[in-house]
Amino acid sequence: MSSPIRRIAICTGGGDAPGLNAVIRATVIAATNLGWECYGIHEGYNGILFPERYPDGGVFKLTRDRVRGIAHLGGTILGTTNKGNPLHFPIRMPDGTVKEVDRTDEILEFFGRRELDALVSIGGDGSLTIAHALAKKGLRVVGVPKTIDNDLDKTNTTFGFDTAVAFATECLDRLHSTAESHQRIIVVEVMGRYAGWIALHAGISGGSHSILIPEIPFNLDKVAAKIRERDNQGRLYSLVTVAEGAKPADGHRAVLQAAEIGHEERLGGEGERVAKALQEITGKDARVVVLGHLLRGGSPTSFDRLAALRFGAAAVRALHEGHSGIMVALGFPNVNYVPLEEVAGRMKGVPLDCDTIQTGRDLGICFGD
Ligand code: F6P
């Protein structure tokens, strides 16, 4: 562990989030300033697990020039994937069945062979769980918390979240006038599989009248009552923000595609269900807008960009100080280090007693309960 660092690798895993390129840029510049070389791994760990797919052998050199002018760009110059977790890699057997194998030893072997001394792994829960497993096997690893969903524990916020909230808020701002002009209900579905952070923050900021999140199973009669209450006050339109993972108290999440080996379940359709049901209950015209992947695109806000740049610089600092098996986290006022074991496999939902939910309730927003 104490051998000097000369070369590091960077990987981005899971769904992309605005700010990934800013982390890459800061990591490369800070590392280069220390005299280290940087390499980017293609598409999560695919560059290592399938080197034959890439003309450069799966990793490519990241120089100062290569990361010039990328901090404001969405996506990731490394590519990413949310399939093929190396801890549970799906392999099709000759009899047609699929079994999962652990391929992390191949990653360690690759690092040894290519003389890569450390890894900066930028990702959400899945990527940080892999990073934790690699660290336990002896690889020098620092994790960086990414996800628009903001559902990672031990960091005040993840980068990507603020950008998603800002965009969803702008969409809600725009929908007020058209909903009001037509006296409609407009349901806005946002991402958020198991945590309702985006729906909660954008819903309150954007003046939504009801907000449905996975943490609070909902009853649509309550939402309909809120719509009628507004109607009685002469406010003849209503906006309802729904997290994709929200579910009725007496039902299930809307699943587009069930989970199978190597793939998580795909959610979607809750907004449509809610709009249809509210139209039936209230007799008002309802429309649905699904923001989906629009929330993951575009330039990171200055908040996310700065957080991402701070994370990248801090990851290099952490390695230089001799840390491994940690995640850089946003504390206040400084970035701090948290053991990966305290992060891996833990999901941070919206606490029901948080003041943001209370603020919503104080503003008269209906949470469907
Ligand atoms: O990044 C997390 C997330 O945005 C979830 O909220 C969403 O369910 C998921 O990614 C969808 O990812 P994809 O369509 O890329 O599989």
Side-chain angles (χ1 to χ4, degrees):
M1 277 301 226
S2 52
S3 57
I5 295 178
R6 288 154 302 157
R7 268 181 288 279
I8 65 168
I10 307 174
C11 84
T12 52
D16 67 334
L20 282 167
N21 284 324
V23 180
I24 295 167
R25 174 175 161 80
T27 305
V28 170
I29 292 177
T32 307
N33 286 341
L34 292 171
W36 303 351
E37 285 180 9
C38 294
Y39 289 84
I41 305 171
H42 287 285
E43 298 168 26
Y45 293 98
N46 279 352
I48 294 178
L49 301 178
F50 304 100
E52 68 286 355
R53 287 187 191 166
Y54 305 92
D56 54 15
V59 294
F60 61 103
K61 193 151 181 202
L62 289 168
T63 59
R64 214 172 239 282
D65 269 353
R66 184 65 190 84
V67 298
R68 181 161 294 136
I70 64 167
H72 65 293
L73 300 179
T76 159
I77 61 166
L78 307 183
T80 187
T81 177
N82 50 15
K83 290 188 195 148
N85 179 340
L87 283 171
H88 306 282
F89 197 89
I91 303 270
R92 190 163 290 280
M93 307 305 286
D95 66 359
T97 57
V98 178
K99 89 168 201 207
E100 289 181 351
V101 296
D102 180 346
R103 296 187 66 184
T104 49
D105 282 345
E106 293 171 56
I107 296 173
L108 291 169
E109 189 274 329
F110 186 93
F111 269 72
R113 185 159 39 85
R114 300 293 296 261
E115 298 183 330
L116 295 163
D117 305 310
L119 169 68
V120 173
S121 168
I122 314 167
D125 180 38
S127 304
L128 296 173
T129 302
I130 300 164
H132 179 46
L134 292 170
K136 280 199 293 189
K137 287 190 169 188
L139 193 68
R140 201 155 19 186
V141 183
V142 168
V144 176
K146 163 242 66 168
T147 162
I148 66 162
D149 291 349
N150 195 38
D151 58 359
L152 280 178
D153 206 4
K154 305 285 175 189
T155 181
N156 283 342
T157 180
T158 54
F159 73 85
F161 173 61
D162 186 64
T163 310
V165 169
F167 179 71
T169 302
E170 189 194 330
C171 293
L172 283 159
D173 288 348
R174 286 168 183 252
L175 289 167
H176 279 272
S177 55
T178 176
E180 186 166 22
S181 303
H182 289 264
Q183 303 182 359
R184 279 176 174 154
I185 301 165
I186 296 192
V187 176
V188 180
E189 181 186 301
V190 297
M191 280 188 170
R193 294 171 79 74
Y194 308 117
W197 293 103
I198 298 176
L200 178 68
H201 283 224
I204 293 180
S205 307
S208 196
H209 308 107
S210 295
I211 299 173
L212 306 180
I213 60 175
E215 294 83 349
I216 305 179
F218 62 81
N219 175 347
L220 281 184
D221 289 330
K222 304 274 183 180
V223 181
K226 173 75 192 171
I227 292 168
R228 285 199 200 96
E229 177 194 307
R230 284 180 51 75
D231 278 350
N232 292 336
Q233 293 162 338
R235 300 183 189 115
L236 303 174
Y237 78 101
S238 283
L239 296 186
V240 181
T241 303
V242 182
E244 63 182 346
K247 54 178 185 298
D250 58 356
H252 303 286
R253 264 195 295 268
V255 176
L256 276 183
Q257 203 180 318
E260 41 182 90
I261 291 184
H263 299 268
E264 284 193 330
E265 66 183 3
R266 270 184 68 205
L267 302 185
E270 193 56 49
E272 189 67 51
R273 285 205 311 205
V274 166
K276 210 165 156 224
L278 287 177
Q279 182 161 310
E280 269 162 29
I281 304 172
T282 63
K284 290 178 77 77
D285 217 9
R287 295 289 187 271
V288 61
V289 176
V290 180
L291 295 182
H293 294 81
L294 287 167
L295 297 166
R296 296 220 305 234
S299 280
T301 57
S302 56
F303 180 91
D304 277 341
R305 212 176 296 181
L306 178 61
L309 292 167
R310 289 170 70 198
F311 281 152
V316 171
R317 247 181 350 254
L319 286 172
H320 191 52
E321 289 162 6
H323 294 282
S324 178
I326 55 115
M327 176 185 87
V328 292
L330 209 54
F332 183 79
N334 291 320
V335 165
N336 51 32
Y337 308 150
V338 182
L340 278 171
E341 68 190 0
E342 290 182 17
V343 183
R346 301 205 192 165
M347 216 260 324
K348 182 180 71 181
V350 177
L352 295 184
D353 58 356
C354 71
D355 84 284
T356 314
I357 290 190
Q358 193 51 49
T359 300
R361 296 197 193 279
D362 292 343
L363 292 171
I365 295 171
C366 168
F367 286 91
D369 56 346

